[in-house]
Amino acid sequence: MMYSRFFLLTILLTCCGITSLHAQLGFCGGNSGDPIFQEDFGSGTTDGPALPAGTTTYNFTTGTPNDGDYTISSTTNYFDWLSIEDHTPGDSNGKSFIVNASFTAGQFYQREVSGLCENTTYEFSSWLINLQPVGSCEGNSIPVNVRFQIWDGTDTNILAQGDTGSIPGTGTTVWKQYALVFKTAPGQTSVILKMRNNSNGGCGNDLAIDDILFRSCGDNVTISTAANEASLVVCEDQGSVSRTLTATPDSSVFSTHAYQWQQSTDQQIWTDIPGENSAILNTPAVTATTYFRTKIAEDIVNVNNDLCNVVSDVFDITVLPIPPAPTSNGDVEICEGEIGLLSVNTLNAYSINWYDAPTGGNLILANERRLEVNNAGTYYAEANSTEIECASTTRTAVTLTVNPLPVVPDDSSTFLCEDSSTTLDAEVENVMYQWSTGATTQTIDVTEPGDYDVIITNENGCSATRTFTVEQIDLPRIDKIVSDGPSIVVSTSNNGNFEYSLDGVSFQTSPIFEAVEGGFYTIYVQDNTDCGVVTEDFYHLVIQKFFTPNGDSFNDVFEPDGLEVFNSVTISIFDRYGKLLKFGNTNSTTWDGTFQGERLPEDDYWYLIEADSTQFKGHFSLKR
């Protein structure tokens, strides 16, 4: 613990140099060796323990540290200081070294560090933080300012020193790392570390230190092959491999170089390779992942002393195991027109390539665990490394079956007579049915027009849809029937492919019956789809549109046709001015175009016929 505390305070001085670095204050410019000494001050909720006697003139306390006091604690929640966790990653209730500077500037720590290697460069490092928040002490907080010094073992010659300069309170809770580099002289195996405050204590100059390291400092050393490979990845099926490795130091620290090559299977435990003490290593044949590095020192006597050497970069020869064949998620069945999704599983470290054959064949899709296809057949999935070509020795077969759809008749149209029903037939047997009406039978009866769908599903679960369009045929609706001279004209209020008849036997497509004698008739109207017939009785009175009383015995008199069916008939004829020219009854319903024996001129004349309870009005022309 004495050595640990001594080193701790040494780093404290080194760490505090943040705002003004001298030439000796800084980090190792090359590679650093494994930690020779490491102090994280432990963990727990109890303050302490105190530093060894003689290490410092400051007072140890388990409570709030006043000026000239220090403590080892998991909390910094004193005064108005920043409340922070220690720096060590993963600590639970981790502790740090907390210092409240004395009122008088000066040396506050001294300790000898022994067991060093001669003629060797070292780095002390530590993490430091000013505990004062911004604006504390009414804006007059004393900054942290520490000097680090390394003296020889006789305490007469200084080897290195550096000042941190002023480190004001910033309010940040981020730790920063600082270091001091020095070199031992020939024959020198110990040094004295001294730390001092350059600022007086009072309100401010309060700091915490954590994670102190002491390690050797040497060149940056890279490892490569003649092909400038920095690492190598091979597949297990390539057999054994080897490489000639060359270590290249940058001579930033060492003027001479001694080597000892090492190998490891986990980068945790390293073993020396006997007799390999030059800059070049011909690796042994490798069949499993192996790591190579070299220890390096400036003096051959120091190369195997971990207090004196550094290590190079690591050259990896990674031997990838052959991936196992992927695991199928099962064969897939789809219906015609669908897309099949084939899939397999493998470890995340592997990719999947799809082929059309169990060996060789054509690559269908690369780097996908799922394959979308619609052609029936067997497809083959191969696992491969994502780093290099290192494929599974076998491929996994996944089969896609494409089942046919049920064969259904084409969509069809049919007709529905008004106020009746019609039957729709899917016309496919031994399958399942799902009608849009909810029915599940082969046939359904419908009474409304519209579109009806039936989903037909076969034994493979494949479905096809057939649509029926049902159109309603409305019965004719007679709007009116009129006599137009000798013709009967029928009008309907709706449209359709209607047929017309006067006897219910012989039908015509024209709604006009020509040259029909006057009298009572029954008019028949039907749609040509035989959806039904409607009838209406009609009295047809034939009124000439004109007559020509010229004595030629043709159309010489105005004589309505059809009045004989009535019991009582009167007829009145008027000129355009309403003058009664003719009045007759059942026995006298004709007019010869005269009035009181005088022939009347060509003109339009009006008639009023009262037949039983029915009146007929209209006009006709007299032509000479």
Side-chain angles (χ1 to χ4, degrees), residues 407-413 425-428 454 465-469:
V407 178
V408 301
D410 293 338
D411 294 348
S412 65
S413 297
D425 189 344
E427 297 185 77
V428 183
V454 58
T465 300
R466 185 182 183 190
T467 298
F468 294 84
T469 299

Side-chain angles (χ1 to χ4, degrees), residues 229-278:
E229 297 167 312
S231 62
L232 180 63
V233 180
V234 297
C235 186
E236 186 179 31
D237 63 2
Q238 292 182 235
S240 61
V241 295
S242 61
R243 284 293 187 272
T244 298
L245 308 180
T246 300
T248 306
D250 66 359
S251 299
S252 61
V253 178
F254 296 158
S255 57
T256 60
H257 304 90
Y259 302 91
Q260 174 58 60
W261 286 90
Q262 296 180 305
Q263 66 180 25
S264 173
T265 59
D266 59 6
Q267 297 198 73
Q268 301 297 319
I269 300 175
W270 291 89
T271 58
D272 292 345
I273 303 175
E276 298 297 342
N277 306 112
S278 69

Side-chain angles (χ1 to χ4, degrees), residues 75 84 170 184 333 420 427 574:
T75 181
I84 61 172
T170 62
T184 58
E333 289 190 32
S420 65
E427 297 185 77
F574 307 88

Side-chain angles (χ1 to χ4, degrees), residues 156-405:
T156 56
N157 299 310
I158 190 168
L159 304 180
Q161 70 174 351
D163 292 336
T164 67
S166 294
I167 307 173
T170 62
T172 179
T173 58
V174 178
W175 291 78
K176 290 189 177 181
Q177 189 182 31
Y178 306 94
L180 179 66
V181 177
F182 72 95
K183 185 175 183 179
T184 58
Q188 185 179 39
T189 58
S190 65
V191 295
I192 298 173
L193 171 66
K194 297 180 181 180
M195 294 184 288
R196 61 174 290 132
N197 270 319
N198 290 331
S199 299
N200 295 327
C203 191
N205 201 3
D206 306 309
L207 63 143
I209 301 172
D210 201 6
D211 292 327
I212 300 169
L213 292 178
F214 171 40
R215 52 190 179 181
S216 58
C217 174
D219 290 349
N220 280 315
V221 184
T222 59
I223 304 295
S224 62
T225 66
N228 288 323
E229 297 167 312
S231 62
L232 180 63
V233 180
V234 297
C235 186
E236 186 179 31
D237 63 2
Q238 292 182 235
S240 61
V241 295
S242 61
R243 284 293 187 272
T244 298
L245 308 180
T246 300
T248 306
D250 66 359
S251 299
S252 61
V253 178
F254 296 158
S255 57
T256 60
H257 304 90
Y259 302 91
Q260 174 58 60
W261 286 90
Q262 296 180 305
Q263 66 180 25
S264 173
T265 59
D266 59 6
Q267 297 198 73
Q268 301 297 319
I269 300 175
W270 291 89
T271 58
D272 292 345
I273 303 175
E276 298 297 342
N277 306 112
S278 69
I280 298 176
L281 170 68
N282 292 312
T283 70
V286 170
T287 58
T289 297
T290 308
Y291 307 94
F292 296 92
R293 74 179 187 183
T294 182
K295 297 185 290 186
I296 188 168
E298 201 163 17
D299 194 312
I300 187 64
V301 300
N302 293 332
V303 73
N304 287 315
N305 186 342
D306 290 341
L307 299 178
C308 313
N309 62 30
V310 295
V311 294
S312 68
D313 294 343
V314 176
F315 188 91
D316 306 347
I317 298 181
T318 303
V319 180
L320 299 179
I322 297 174
T327 302
S328 171
N329 287 325
D331 294 336
V332 176
E333 289 190 32
I334 62 172
C335 299
E336 285 180 310
E338 297 178 345
I339 299 296
L341 182 61
L342 312 184
S343 64
V344 294
N345 288 325
T346 188
L347 298 176
N348 290 334
Y350 304 131
S351 62
I352 297 295
N353 295 331
W354 292 87
Y355 293 86
D356 61 2
T359 59
N362 299 305
L363 176 65
I364 299 173
L365 181 65
N367 300 323
E368 289 289 344
R369 299 190 179 199
R370 302 190 300 177
L371 174 65
E372 293 184 354
V373 289
N374 56 9
N375 293 324
T378 300
Y379 300 82
Y380 301 88
E382 177 184 271
N384 207 331
S385 168
T386 57
E387 297 181 66
I388 61 170
E389 181 64 28
C390 188
S392 55
T393 55
T394 60
R395 296 171 181 171
T396 299
V398 185
T399 299
L400 176 68
T401 301
V402 180
N403 293 315
L405 301 178

